[in-house]
Amino acid sequence: MRSNIILPLLFVFTFIPLLSCSAKPKPAKATPSNEAIDLSPTLPQKQTLDPEIEKLGRVLSSMSDRAKQAIPNGNPNEFLADLHKVLAEEEKFRKDDLSLYYLIDKKHNVGESYVPKDLKSLGKNSLYDINSNNLSLRPDVEAALQTMARAALNDGIRLLVISSYRSYTYQKNLFQHWVDVDGLAEAERESAREGTSQHQLGSAIDFGALSDNFVNTPMGKWLNEHSEEYGWSLSFPKGYEDVTGFRWECWHFRYIGVTACQFQKKWFGDIQQFMIEFIDAWKNTN
């Protein structure tokens, strides 16, 4: 259960419903402690909100009801400060490739020609294992994998990478394979269509085994507990198939960086899809 942040009256801001300067202020209503507290600020009619706070309201109001429910009440200035930390990290990403925050899902894709820049092959090494010789990642993501793998080794866990970058064509053939095996409806839950897979970004990894039981293995438990400390986020959590479009995949992690993982956990119920959708909407809202 998420907890609401109750702040001094001057700083209280209810993200949902959307604040509107033209709306008449409503008095606060007492609500049970386990429900969202609706305390809209009582501003003089001619007083305007900070432009970024107005923008924040517009972006949040455009999100799904389930995303809104995941966002706790809090100080908008604190939220914006955390957001700008995430965006500042993005400025450090290489400029000649897609952002590590790029929104890719069943509704947002990349073209057939997209290939991450300077893909680095994953070979035998002292930090982690691979199950084939045709695996590769973005160089910055492979470096992040090394950092996490070293930490896992210190805890007695050796990570196994079983899938990484996949080309548009590879994903097309893979999706068709699962259609042939399980039928279209089940394939849509299990596999991404070409151009819509996080694997094509070169920043996602399947670890260990493609099995629900992976979460109960030492490696699965370690990743579940520690991956976000090193910038790796579980992409398809349990109980969110209606949000992500895919069933739970306890083995699939995407690298987004430590700052983004912290932002996701603090403000978006630790759901990657909500945060990535928000960042995309923020960038595309004036």
Side-chain angles (χ1 to χ4, degrees):
M1 181 181 297
R2 64 185 177 86
S3 60
N4 294 317
I5 303 171
I6 304 176
L7 300 159
L9 184 58
L10 289 177
F11 296 99
V12 170
F13 175 87
T14 301
F15 287 157
I16 306 300
L18 169 66
L19 298 179
S20 172
C21 294
S22 60
K24 294 181 180 179
K26 296 180 180 180
K29 295 181 179 180
T31 56
S33 59
N34 64 339
E35 295 182 3
I37 297 175
D38 182 8
L39 294 175
S40 299
T42 55
L43 296 173
Q45 287 187 343
K46 292 184 178 180
Q47 185 174 343
T48 59
L49 292 174
D50 179 277
E52 279 213 326
I53 293 179
E54 288 188 300
K55 178 179 177 179
L56 178 58
R58 292 196 303 273
V59 173
L60 291 173
S61 70
S62 70
M63 299 183 74
S64 68
D65 288 342
R66 194 162 187 192
K68 294 171 185 176
Q69 293 168 4
I71 300 171
N73 295 336
N75 185 333
N77 294 314
E78 182 181 354
F79 181 100
L80 289 168
D82 290 341
L83 169 62
H84 285 298
K85 291 177 183 177
V86 172
L87 298 178
E89 284 298 309
E90 187 175 34
E91 289 298 312
K92 302 176 185 177
F93 301 162
R94 60 185 301 165
K95 300 298 189 292
D96 61 345
D97 207 341
L98 295 180
S99 169
L100 290 171
Y101 308 151
Y102 188 84
L103 175 61
I104 186 169
D105 55 25
K106 293 195 175 198
K107 297 179 181 178
H108 305 86
N109 57 29
V110 293
E112 183 175 1
S113 62
Y114 174 71
V115 179
K117 302 290 185 181
D118 305 323
L119 280 169
K120 181 176 181 179
S121 296
L122 308 187
K124 292 184 178 180
N125 63 89
S126 61
L127 294 176
Y128 58 85
D129 291 327
I130 56 176
N131 74 336
S132 67
N133 295 321
N134 62 349
L135 301 176
S136 58
L137 290 168
R138 286 174 49 147
D140 48 353
V141 175
E142 198 279 332
L145 171 61
Q146 288 191 30
T147 299
M148 183 168 71
R150 187 175 291 107
L153 277 177
N154 289 337
D155 290 338
I157 303 296
R158 188 172 177 87
L159 300 180
L160 169 63
V161 178
I162 63 173
S163 186
S164 52
Y165 165 73
R166 298 178 193 160
S167 70
Y168 182 99
T169 300
Y170 183 99
Q171 193 66 38
K172 181 177 181 179
N173 294 334
L174 181 63
F175 181 79
Q176 186 58 51
H177 166 77
W178 288 115
V179 171
D180 296 340
V181 171
D182 294 327
L184 179 60
E186 189 63 20
E188 292 281 13
R189 301 179 62 228
E190 300 277 349
S191 181
R193 289 179 180 268
E194 61 274 16
T196 69
S197 172
Q198 291 185 356
H199 286 285
Q200 192 175 345
L201 299 179
S203 57
I205 289 178
D206 291 341
F207 289 97
L210 306 183
S211 166
D212 291 350
N213 190 54
F214 174 66
V215 74
N216 298 316
T217 66
M219 189 191 312
K221 290 178 179 178
W222 191 93
L223 287 166
N224 186 60
E225 183 175 352
H226 298 289
S227 62
E228 289 184 340
E229 298 171 20
Y230 303 96
W232 294 84
S233 166
L234 182 71
S235 295
F236 309 120
K238 196 171 188 177
Y240 286 86
E241 185 173 342
D242 61 316
V243 172
T244 66
F246 299 101
R247 75 174 189 88
W248 176 44
E249 293 190 356
C250 56
W251 56 83
H252 180 114
F253 292 80
R254 175 180 178 178
Y255 181 72
I256 56 175
V258 175
T259 304
C261 283
Q262 293 171 342
F263 187 53
Q264 166 188 303
K265 189 169 188 177
K266 181 176 179 180
W267 294 108
F268 294 93
D270 211 17
I271 304 301
Q272 179 192 121
Q273 183 73 21
F274 292 156
M275 184 197 67
I276 297 293
E277 286 180 353
F278 172 86
I279 291 174
D280 181 74
W282 180 266
K283 293 178 180 178
N284 290 288
T285 300
N286 295 324

